[in-house]
Amino acid sequence: MTAEALWQLFCEKESLPVETRFEAWQFGGAPDYLVALVMQKIKTATASGYDLYFLPGEAEELPRIGEYSVIEDSVGQAVCVIRTIKTTVVPFDEVGSEQAYKEGEGDRSLMYWRRVHEEFFKEDFAGCGVKFDLKSKILCEEFELVYSLFDVVSFSENDAKDICQWKYEGDYAVYNYPSWDECINMKLAFTNEKTRQEQYYKVLKAGEKLGYFRLEEKDNAIELSVGIVPDKCGFGNGDMLINLALAKISELYFAYRFTIIIFWINTFTIYY
């Protein structure tokens, strides 16, 4: 979806004039994972090099309080809208623990933030021909999520029953489940209410069911399994579904390893 199309959906929902100004951009580093953190309200802040906004030929303007931004994924598809609520400028070595926590990355500590962002800013500044040091000015921006194309919600018994109706073709038929009654007799995990509540999450796209993911603690690691509604396969939806799952893992289980369980026919999807 284009930024303009998503913006129109947001304006219609909020009764906002479509002519209202907005910027469209993507996060640096790991844009899909970072915007997944935003869509789950884990990440509510970001940071950028202040002086880089004033370089000759730089078209990007400083973010302003109240301004809207459409955030895109790594391939330029618009996925959410945010609104800037606060901006501050401080030297890199004076960025505080509150900012680090609100950025939502890693274990959300200031130590982690400084380690990964020092490396990021060195590369970012160098790419613009500017030297970075610990006194370089950093623009810290806080924002709120106001519209999201994707949502992660609770997984119900009806959702579990729906999975039994999903039918894949060809090699992918290995993912087909038997009837609900048979699944109960087999004591499959999603037939147990407590397990559903603790381990399963439904993913919506534009209000419609896209699929689900499961996070299971096993052997001192988090085992991640996913499923996509059959008629939504093959449209590039898997990337964001997995990133939403990774964001949830980061929120709940940062200290753990995680493994992705996948059949050989889908090995091309493993790139994390």
Side-chain angles (χ1 to χ4, degrees):
M1 181 177 293
T2 65
E4 291 75 18
L6 186 70
W7 178 250
Q8 185 168 348
L9 289 176
F10 168 67
C11 290
E12 290 174 356
K13 178 177 180 292
E14 299 296 327
S15 299
L16 193 70
V18 73
E19 298 81 12
T20 303
R21 184 178 182 275
F22 73 93
E23 297 285 342
W25 48 274
Q26 62 180 229
F27 289 105
D32 293 340
Y33 173 65
L34 295 179
V35 77
L37 289 174
V38 171
M39 289 190 287
Q40 295 192 61
K41 300 183 179 180
I42 300 168
K43 181 177 180 65
T44 59
T46 190
S48 53
Y50 178 74
D51 292 332
L52 303 187
Y53 287 92
F54 303 99
L55 295 177
E58 175 57 51
E60 186 175 358
E61 299 181 9
L62 287 168
R64 295 176 290 188
I65 294 175
E67 180 180 69
Y68 293 98
S69 296
V70 173
I71 310 301
E72 300 171 333
D73 64 15
S74 59
V75 294
Q77 294 295 302
V79 293
C80 71
V81 181
I82 62 173
R83 187 174 73 90
T84 301
I85 58 176
K86 181 180 179 181
T87 61
T88 55
V89 180
V90 296
F92 178 87
D93 62 0
E94 293 183 24
V95 173
S97 57
E98 183 178 0
Q99 173 73 18
Y101 183 83
K102 289 180 177 179
E103 291 207 27
E105 301 168 39
D107 65 358
R108 307 181 80 168
S109 69
L110 181 58
M111 180 181 298
Y112 179 90
W113 186 93
R114 285 179 173 170
R115 177 169 59 83
V116 299
H117 282 81
E118 182 174 356
E119 180 180 345
F120 172 79
F121 283 129
K122 281 181 178 178
E123 183 176 336
D124 193 32
F125 276 56
C128 298
V130 179
K131 179 176 171 47
F132 170 83
D133 60 43
L134 298 184
K135 292 298 181 183
S136 294
K137 293 180 181 179
I138 302 300
L139 173 66
C140 298
E141 176 185 358
E142 295 183 31
F143 54 79
E144 61 179 350
L145 177 69
V146 293
Y147 188 80
S148 178
L149 188 62
F150 294 87
D151 290 293
V152 177
V153 298
S154 59
F155 188 90
S156 69
E157 180 176 309
N158 285 336
D159 294 319
K161 289 179 177 179
D162 282 347
I163 293 177
C164 299
Q165 305 301 316
W166 295 359
K167 298 304 175 186
Y168 302 93
E169 298 179 351
D171 288 338
Y172 295 93
V174 68
Y175 292 114
N176 294 339
Y177 282 99
S179 69
W180 175 249
D181 288 339
E182 289 179 271
C183 288
I184 291 176
N185 290 334
M186 296 167 65
K187 297 183 178 180
L188 297 186
F190 58 70
T191 65
N192 181 280
E193 182 178 359
K194 185 173 185 294
T195 302
R196 284 197 304 270
Q197 292 176 348
E198 294 178 350
Q199 300 180 5
Y200 284 81
Y201 300 85
K202 177 169 63 175
V203 177
L204 304 176
K205 182 179 182 181
E208 296 184 356
K209 185 185 298 182
L210 172 63
Y212 73 93
F213 60 86
R214 180 191 183 191
L215 307 179
E216 181 185 9
E217 294 185 52
K218 182 183 292 186
D219 299 326
N220 296 316
I222 301 301
E223 188 171 290
L224 166 62
S225 53
V226 303
I228 298 179
V229 176
D231 63 9
K232 297 186 184 302
C233 292
F235 296 97
N237 290 311
D239 286 357
M240 188 53 68
L241 190 148
I242 290 177
N243 275 283
L244 289 166
L246 295 179
K248 182 61 69 174
I249 290 173
S250 179
E251 178 187 20
L252 300 176
Y253 306 106
F254 174 76
Y256 288 72
R257 296 181 298 111
F258 74 88
T259 56
I260 299 178
I261 303 304
I262 195 161
F263 286 99
W264 67 268
I265 55 175
N266 272 344
T267 53
F268 67 90
T269 65
I270 299 178
Y271 57 93
Y272 291 95

